[in-house]
Amino acid sequence: MKKIHSLMEDNLVPLIIFIFLLVTIPLSKLSPSYLIQEIILRLDRNLFLVLSLLVPIIAGMGLNFGIVLGAMGGQIALIFISEWRIVGIEGIILAFILSTPLSILLGWLSGEILNRAKGREMITSMILGLFMNGVYQLLVLYGMGNIIKINNPKLILSRGSGIRNAIDLNGIRQGLDKILEIKINNISIPIGTFILVFILCFFILWFRKTKLGQDMRALGENMEISRSAGIPVERTRIVAIIISTILAGYGQIIYLQNIGTMNTYNSHEQIGMFSIAALLIGGASAARATITNGIIGVILFHLMFIVSPMAGKELVGSAQIGEYFRVFVSYGIIALVLVLHQLKRDRLRKVKRSEI
């Protein structure tokens, strides 16, 4: 009985979403083939970003809302390849290369700040993301054109400085997705992108077994004992954030090449929130997360995104109800999981005290 109770408690969030989907999928009247195609599309578009959250969780740093910094680095790289008119897979590879040093710099800055906010990493990374968003907008709106020369008229505003609100990425649109793309019963499967996701999954599994990965796992268990064992705590935490930020930059490039358009000032803003919500819906917590949690989370979260508007339209005649609901769920799930995580920590502390 205790095992069933524990299993229910650990998987409460995915169970709630699963029950919701059981009710709303029939109401939405969407065909199975359409839903399958959309889920493949969302896995292709979002899974890399969601998996970029895993490394800081391994290191005991919780949910890294600061992946938006990596997303900003990826978007700056896309602005440069658009300025240089480099298209196709070459443009995507160059964007990966350009985003890497930017993400390393931003990840190092984030790691240094989070080392000064131990125990409050999640809220600190969220505030840091908001602060750096202001710096990013200042750079893109005033720095590009005035300090950094931009000559492409499709990018620059008519005043001669500042990047346009929307950038057409038609030159690299689905440049990665179209590699080895196959179709099964009119369902397109972007093998090229999924190969990259598979490589990332393999990297995470391999990384956990390395010396650095073991050090991070030790940090996640107990920071003070790890320090006593000679593990360089601050440096290891910074490395965890840098890896997460680099992966988030790559993930944002993958995301935007699939869409084919970049909203210069807003594309990155909700990346952290939605990626974290998807991971938590998959059964992860602030202290434990796996690749399986990421995959299940993306499927459940985005099924909810697809189904909610149509179910709302069928029920009350307004698709907007579904839009409001899915935004409410995104924030609500994060709040619920964090509350459950804190309650579980408090319960474990009481058990340990009673054993003393």
Side-chain angles (χ1 to χ4, degrees):
M1 194 66 184
K2 285 184 178 180
K3 287 184 178 180
I4 295 174
H5 181 268
S6 177
L7 186 65
M8 291 284 288
E9 185 180 53
D10 291 341
N11 295 281
L12 179 62
V13 174
L15 281 172
I16 292 171
I17 300 301
F18 183 71
I19 292 168
F20 168 79
L21 290 171
L22 284 179
V23 175
T24 53
I25 286 176
L27 289 172
S28 69
K29 298 180 180 178
L30 295 171
S31 68
S33 60
Y34 175 80
L35 290 175
I36 291 170
Q37 180 64 81
E38 284 296 308
I39 286 303
I40 290 172
L41 175 65
R42 303 308 173 95
L43 283 168
D44 163 45
R45 189 183 290 173
N46 296 281
L47 186 54
F48 204 101
L49 275 166
V50 173
L51 295 178
S52 72
L53 293 163
L54 296 186
V55 176
I57 294 175
I58 294 170
M61 300 181 75
L63 303 164
N64 181 23
F65 289 88
I67 62 169
V68 294
L69 276 67
M72 293 175 203
Q75 290 180 186
I76 290 172
L78 289 174
I79 290 172
F80 282 124
I81 67 158
S82 298
E83 158 69 5
W84 300 330
R85 296 178 175 84
I86 301 173
V87 300
I89 190 62
E90 293 86 358
I92 294 172
I93 291 171
L94 181 59
F96 285 157
I97 293 170
L98 291 175
S99 74
T100 302
L102 288 170
S103 296
I104 290 172
L105 176 62
L106 293 169
W108 171 80
L109 174 65
S110 179
E112 288 285 355
I113 292 171
L114 295 181
N115 273 339
R116 288 163 173 75
K118 293 184 181 75
R120 301 180 297 277
E121 289 92 348
M122 286 185 280
I123 186 62
T124 304
S125 64
M126 183 184 292
I127 299 303
L128 180 61
L130 294 172
F131 169 74
M132 289 305 298
N133 183 45
V135 176
Y136 166 83
Q137 297 205 19
L138 181 67
L139 171 67
V140 173
L141 190 57
Y142 295 103
M144 291 190 172
N146 288 323
I147 301 171
I148 303 169
K149 292 299 179 184
I150 302 292
N151 298 313
N152 190 338
K154 292 182 179 179
L155 294 180
I156 203 77
L157 292 169
S158 57
R159 68 185 185 190
S161 66
I163 302 298
R164 295 181 183 274
N165 287 335
I167 296 177
D168 183 5
L169 299 176
N170 193 51
I172 63 165
R173 185 174 184 271
Q174 297 184 353
L176 187 59
D177 298 338
K178 295 295 184 182
I179 298 175
L180 303 176
E181 184 182 43
I182 62 172
K183 285 195 175 184
I184 302 174
N185 294 329
N186 294 322
I187 295 175
S188 300
I189 304 174
I191 300 298
T193 307
F194 283 131
I195 288 173
L196 271 187
V197 173
F198 175 80
I199 291 171
L200 175 57
C201 293
F202 178 80
F203 167 77
I204 292 170
L205 293 172
W206 168 81
F207 180 76
R208 288 170 65 94
K209 297 176 182 178
T210 64
K211 172 65 168 61
L212 181 57
Q214 293 293 330
D215 287 350
M216 288 183 185
R217 291 177 67 181
L219 283 179
E221 294 293 328
N222 191 303
M223 192 184 303
E224 293 309 315
I225 291 177
S226 299
R227 194 189 302 276
S228 300
I231 295 173
V233 171
E234 281 71 23
R235 190 185 72 181
T236 303
R237 284 162 55 92
I238 290 173
V239 171
I241 292 297
I242 288 175
I243 292 172
S244 179
T245 308
I246 292 171
L247 294 176
Y250 296 164
Q252 184 72 347
I253 293 167
I254 292 170
Y255 175 84
L256 291 173
Q257 65 85 35
N258 176 266
I259 294 174
T261 303
M262 184 175 86
N263 188 324
T264 308
Y265 301 99
N266 301 108
S267 283
H268 59 282
E269 287 186 348
Q270 297 299 321
I271 286 300
M273 192 68 66
F274 287 163
S275 296
I276 287 169
L279 186 63
L280 296 178
I281 283 174
S285 71
R288 180 192 60 81
T290 65
I291 293 168
T292 304
N293 293 143
I295 295 170
I296 293 173
V298 171
I299 292 171
L300 293 179
F301 185 64
H302 287 282
L303 259 179
M304 183 188 70
F305 260 48
I306 298 159
V307 167
S308 294
M310 295 306 298
K313 185 177 180 181
E314 293 295 329
L315 279 173
V316 296
S318 173
Q320 196 64 37
I321 296 295
E323 295 285 344
Y324 292 140
F325 177 77
R326 66 189 189 183
V327 172
F328 163 76
V329 168
S330 299
Y331 289 93
I333 288 297
I334 293 173
L336 174 62
V337 170
L338 293 180
V339 168
L340 291 174
H341 174 63
Q342 189 59 44
L343 289 173
K344 193 170 184 178
R345 287 179 64 184
D346 291 343
R347 189 165 63 250
L348 288 172
R349 284 173 187 164
K350 288 179 181 177
V351 170
K352 287 180 180 178
R353 285 173 189 165
S354 65
E355 291 175 349
I356 295 174

